[in-house]
Amino acid sequence: MTSYIIYPSQNSEDFLERVKEFSSLLHQLLSLIKVVETLLTNISDTKGLYFIICATMSILPRLRCITVDVTGTLIAYKGELGDYYCMAAKSVGLPCPDYKRVHEGFKFAYKDMATKYPCFGFDAKMSNIVWWKTCVRDSFLRAGYEYDEETFEKIFRRIYASFGSSAPYSVFPDSQPFLRWVRSKGLKVGLVSNAEYRYQDVILPSLGLNEGSEWDFGVFSGLEGVEKPNPRIYEIALERAGNIAPQEALHIGDSIRKDYEPAKSIGMHALLLDRFETPDAENWRKSGAVVLPDLVAAQEWLSSEKPTS
């Protein structure tokens, strides 16, 4: 702790500067005393004391792992769904299907498949390609397009290949630097996503997000048979991180229902990113959630001396 001795100096400017420094330090000390007094009136055990200590220090030293959602947090879709359905149709000499009808058809088809065969058909032992073929066929039918089997097979193969590559995705510019920064601090990075195996094996590596340099382990619903918002998927992440305690982990995502609430329910720290200025973000904040605009802000928050968790 710095000692301050105030005495007259031949240099009046230096003396005044020292007085200002002392006054500032005294003000900070009095503020801290008030905080401690307030907290002490509300605690009666060692847990409260632990809270006082933690409230005045960075959260980072208390963590051993940070888990991160993928789509909407690290990467985003490029263009519209109709773009890829259009290119597939044109590849066999057919006109583009209507974008709006295809989008609506896909929305309902995907929801129906996710309800009947969750986790991309994991429990039903349905192969990934069969799951998606059924979904895409139903999307077209709901949009009012019916193709013969040979034509549909060609269209589907084009769509399946596109979404199994880096083509429909873009990486947010702060994703790779953030993940590498976290790992440089000695923490493990885990990815937790409602996604199928191609995210882990093909898509993320093709986007420059590699296991071993950007992340340490992945928990993908299509490979685990459990999906968000089931808290079990976060428990699996803790196990993969080395059976660490929930309070030693932080989850970052973009959905209060799928990311924030289930992670908090098992005792993890959590924060939300609002990259697209969603109208719901204000309600997230009112509910007590930490909401930040991007991973640059998340890094600053993690390094802050007085984080709000």
Side-chain angles (χ1 to χ4, degrees):
M1 183 175 179
T2 305
S3 297
Y4 282 86
I5 301 175
I6 306 299
Y7 55 87
S9 168
Q10 291 182 344
N11 188 331
S12 58
E13 290 184 3
D14 179 64
F15 176 70
L16 289 173
E17 188 62 35
R18 304 242 341 142
V19 169
K20 287 180 182 178
E21 278 186 43
F22 179 75
S23 297
S24 176
L25 180 65
L26 184 61
H27 177 74
Q28 292 177 43
L29 181 60
L30 290 173
S31 297
L32 181 59
I33 290 172
K34 288 180 181 178
V35 171
V36 173
E37 285 178 343
T38 302
L39 291 171
L40 283 173
T41 61
N42 296 303
I43 64 170
S44 58
D45 54 27
T46 54
K47 287 184 179 179
L49 183 58
Y50 174 78
F51 174 78
I52 291 175
I53 295 169
C54 290
T56 57
M57 63 182 287
S58 167
I59 191 176
L60 198 60
R62 291 180 271 151
L63 299 177
R64 294 174 61 191
C65 174
I66 292 179
T67 59
V68 189
D69 168 56
V70 178
T71 308
T73 301
L74 296 177
I75 68 175
Y77 288 111
K78 287 195 299 190
E80 296 182 53
L81 180 74
D83 294 332
Y84 303 97
Y85 279 54
C86 177
M87 287 188 290
K90 280 187 170 182
S91 71
V92 296
L94 294 173
C96 284
D98 182 81
Y99 274 42
K100 184 176 181 180
R101 282 158 54 192
V102 164
H103 179 78
E104 287 300 307
F106 176 79
K107 184 169 66 175
F108 288 108
Y110 184 91
K111 184 178 180 180
D112 188 51
M113 284 297 291
T115 301
K116 291 178 179 177
Y117 307 103
C119 301
F120 303 94
F122 182 91
D123 288 335
K125 294 182 170 36
M126 182 183 291
S127 70
N128 191 67
I129 194 167
V130 169
W131 194 97
W132 278 113
K133 183 180 288 188
T134 307
C135 183
V136 171
R137 188 194 303 276
D138 191 29
S139 299
F140 276 121
L141 290 174
R142 289 172 184 266
Y145 300 94
E146 187 170 2
Y147 306 109
D148 63 73
E149 191 59 34
E150 183 180 354
T151 301
F152 172 74
E153 184 67 25
K154 292 177 181 177
I155 291 173
F156 169 71
R157 288 285 177 177
R158 178 68 179 263
I159 292 171
Y160 188 73
S162 293
F163 282 93
S165 71
S166 62
Y169 312 96
S170 62
V171 183
F172 292 112
D174 55 8
S175 295
Q176 189 182 73
F178 176 78
L179 297 176
R180 291 188 174 186
W181 174 78
V182 172
R183 295 185 79 245
S184 75
K185 296 297 181 181
L187 278 68
K188 289 186 177 180
V189 172
L191 304 184
V192 180
S193 176
N194 284 353
E196 35 111 335
Y197 80 93
R198 292 184 298 172
Y199 262 51
Q200 175 178 270
D201 297 346
V202 182
I203 296 168
L204 291 173
S206 70
L207 290 169
L209 300 178
N210 296 287
E211 184 175 3
S213 56
E214 280 73 40
W215 49 281
D216 298 286
F217 64 88
V219 184
F220 299 93
S221 62
L223 294 172
E224 305 297 337
V226 61
E227 61 188 7
K228 305 173 189 179
N230 189 334
R232 175 60 188 150
I233 199 168
Y234 294 99
E235 292 173 347
I236 293 172
L238 296 178
E239 292 165 9
R240 297 276 166 82
N243 292 309
I244 65 173
Q247 61 268 28
E248 295 177 308
L250 164 76
H251 180 68
I252 302 174
D254 68 336
S255 168
I256 194 163
R257 186 179 72 86
K258 294 181 179 180
D259 293 301
Y260 187 85
E261 290 175 347
K264 293 284 282 187
S265 75
I266 66 166
M268 294 174 66
H269 301 277
L271 67 84
L272 290 166
L273 293 194
D274 178 30
R275 289 190 181 275
F276 305 106
E277 298 184 350
T278 173
D280 293 331
E282 190 55 38
N283 290 329
W284 298 349
R285 293 185 181 92
K286 288 178 181 177
S287 72
V290 176
V291 183
L292 302 171
D294 51 39
L295 289 172
V296 173
Q299 182 172 328
E300 294 173 354
W301 180 85
L302 281 164
S303 303
S304 170
E305 290 301 317
K306 293 183 180 180
T308 304
S309 60

